[in-house]
Amino acid sequence: MRAMRAETFSGYQGLKLIELPKPAVTDGKVLVRITAAGVTPLDHTILSGKFHGSKAPLVLGNEGAGVVEERGGTDFPVGSRVMFFGAYGAFEDGTYSEWVAVRKEDLCLIPDNVDDVSAAGIPVAYLTAQVALTLAGFRAGKTVLAPAIGGSIGNAVTQLARALGAKHVMSSTTNHAKAEQAKALGFNEVIDTSLEKLGDGVRRITDGYGADIVIDGIGGEVLSEALGVLALGGSLTTLGYSASRNTTIDVINLIVPQASIRGLNMFAQPKAAITNAWKVIVSLLKSGAIKPIVAKAFPLAEAAAALRYLVEGRPFGRVVLTI
Ligand SMILES: NC(=O)c1ccc[n+]([C@@H]2O[C@H](COP(=O)([O-])OP(=O)(O)OC[C@H]3O[C@@H](n4cnc5c(N)ncnc54)[C@H](OP(=O)(O)O)[C@@H]3O)[C@@H](O)[C@H]2O)c1
């Protein structure tokens, strides 16, 4: 089978399209013919040699969509369409390939109203967003900030919190054109940080109240500014570092509102957290209350260009490989 493998973790030139044997299907696994793979910043981090747990050579791809070919049983009959995320592409070979033997517990049926390309970009973003909101104690009426409306986490948190009845769901972008695009797509509480500081925007939108919950995948200055708008008893969840792993915080921003900061690692979630998150996500997908956004699809052979487009082009929406 064709697979896009990182032979070394040395940047884009380490990626090679190779032939590998079709994976063996052992107990508890289901053979899935991959149709589309989500491209994530983690793939780029691994390829750059900056992820602690991965070993080369490694077929990249942490999430994907496809069709069950063998051993799905009655839950996932042969021919059913599935999407999944897990250790793939990080600790074992991943979805940048024609077939993957997927642990049954990682699979979720794709609703009929969602196509494979869109589905491939759902698991990581929406599971992370839903788990983060749940751990932060989200419920209807809360005020949420999730920076980067065009990014996968920022957009998924925004869509989920809005669908689940948040009072305000604010996001941001550093790019004026993306702010306009967000408005055209109906995201009405996006702070254009080329025109206004993140904190000023949050205070304007919430009449000075601030955010009960911040879910941040950006890090750097965005994280430290977001800490400055936490409402009384609020929390900030840090889960990524698209801008930077380092920042300086003013502890007064935690002390005065008795706020808290926590980290989130999706590789450390109990099975029940993922199962519960899938239930919410699937129901909202079926009703059309959330709509995944795909910026661009690339063929498997252009995986390096796809990764470059994601990280350097900073598109609005997901980047997906068609297999
Ligand atoms: N902990 C976990 O388990 C977990 C799970 C999923 C993802 N993550 C991590 O979460 C992070 C976000 O993932 P993602 O998929 O949402 O990324 P993404 O789709 O690539 O979006 C990142 C966005 O961040 C903004 N950005 C980039 N550089 C910036 C800078 N220097 N200053 C301000 N904004 C900047 C850009 O938005 P604008 O151009 O609009 O400003 C960009 O579109 C990544 O580090 C990812 O690895 C972690």
Side-chain angles (χ1 to χ4, degrees):
M1 67 170 186
R2 288 178 316 130
M4 186 59 80
R5 191 165 78 173
E7 299 300 312
T8 54
F9 296 152
S10 53
Y12 301 120
Q13 71 277 11
L15 271 182
K16 297 277 179 295
L17 189 60
I18 58 161
E19 279 293 324
L20 285 178
K22 215 166 152 178
V25 198
T26 49
D27 274 0
K29 291 200 171 174
V30 176
L31 186 66
V32 177
R33 164 80 177 91
I34 305 296
T35 52
V39 177
T40 67
L42 175 67
D43 305 338
H44 188 268
T45 305
I46 291 172
L47 189 59
S48 313
K50 293 183 183 147
F51 188 70
H52 54 278
S54 301
K55 291 193 178 55
L58 181 72
V59 177
L60 297 182
N62 191 217
E63 63 179 349
V67 179
V68 171
E69 274 199 2
E70 279 176 35
R71 300 228 209 167
T74 48
D75 293 341
F76 303 100
V78 169
S80 52
R81 295 187 315 126
V82 289
M83 54 187 166
F84 63 95
F85 136 88
Y88 321 96
F91 307 105
E92 60 189 78
D93 281 346
T95 57
Y96 288 16
S97 61
E98 289 182 290
W99 280 271
V100 176
V102 184
R103 271 170 289 276
K104 202 171 189 176
E105 73 226 36
D106 293 333
L107 291 173
C108 175
L109 291 170
I110 301 173
D112 290 343
N113 59 338
V114 178
D115 63 78
D116 286 20
V117 168
S118 301
I122 289 174
V124 171
Y126 278 88
L127 286 173
T128 305
Q130 181 57 28
V131 168
L133 284 168
T134 303
L135 289 174
F138 175 82
R139 52 182 195 277
K142 292 275 185 189
T143 289
V144 176
L145 168 65
I149 190 64
S152 86
I153 301 297
N155 198 273
V157 173
T158 301
Q159 292 213 38
L160 285 169
R162 184 170 69 177
L164 295 169
K167 182 170 181 189
H168 292 285
V169 196
M170 296 159 285
S171 189
S172 64
T173 174
T174 59
N175 177 323
H176 185 63
K178 272 201 232 176
E180 294 297 314
Q181 201 178 346
K183 213 179 292 173
L185 288 167
F187 300 108
N188 297 322
E189 297 185 319
V190 173
I191 299 151
D192 178 350
T193 61
S194 71
L195 302 175
E196 183 182 31
K197 278 187 157 302
L198 184 66
D200 292 341
V202 171
R203 282 183 281 270
R204 171 178 56 76
I205 291 167
T206 62
D207 288 330
Y209 176 83
D212 297 309
I213 294 171
V214 177
I215 309 292
D216 176 51
I218 312 301
E221 275 178 34
V222 172
L223 186 153
S224 61
E225 272 198 55
L227 267 187
V229 296
L230 284 174
L232 203 62
S235 72
L236 181 147
T237 301
T238 171
L239 57 82
Y241 40 85
S242 291
S244 174
R245 286 163 55 171
N246 300 306
T247 193
T248 304
I249 65 166
D250 183 341
V251 294
I252 282 292
N253 291 330
L254 293 171
I255 295 167
V256 172
Q258 298 203 100
S260 57
I261 182 166
R262 69 183 301 158
L264 175 74
N265 177 359
M266 283 302 282
F267 291 125
Q269 295 310 307
K271 176 74 194 110
I274 304 289
T275 307
N276 292 337
W278 269 134
K279 279 188 196 143
V280 176
I281 294 162
V282 166
S283 148
L284 294 173
L285 283 169
K286 283 183 178 165
S287 72
I290 55 173
K291 292 194 177 71
I293 299 170
V294 175
K296 194 167 173 182
F298 292 76
L300 177 63
E302 291 173 26
L307 274 165
R308 192 187 292 272
Y309 178 67
L310 172 70
V311 175
E312 297 172 29
R314 288 159 68 158
F316 197 122
R318 298 306 316 276
V319 177
V320 173
L321 294 176
T322 49
I323 315 286

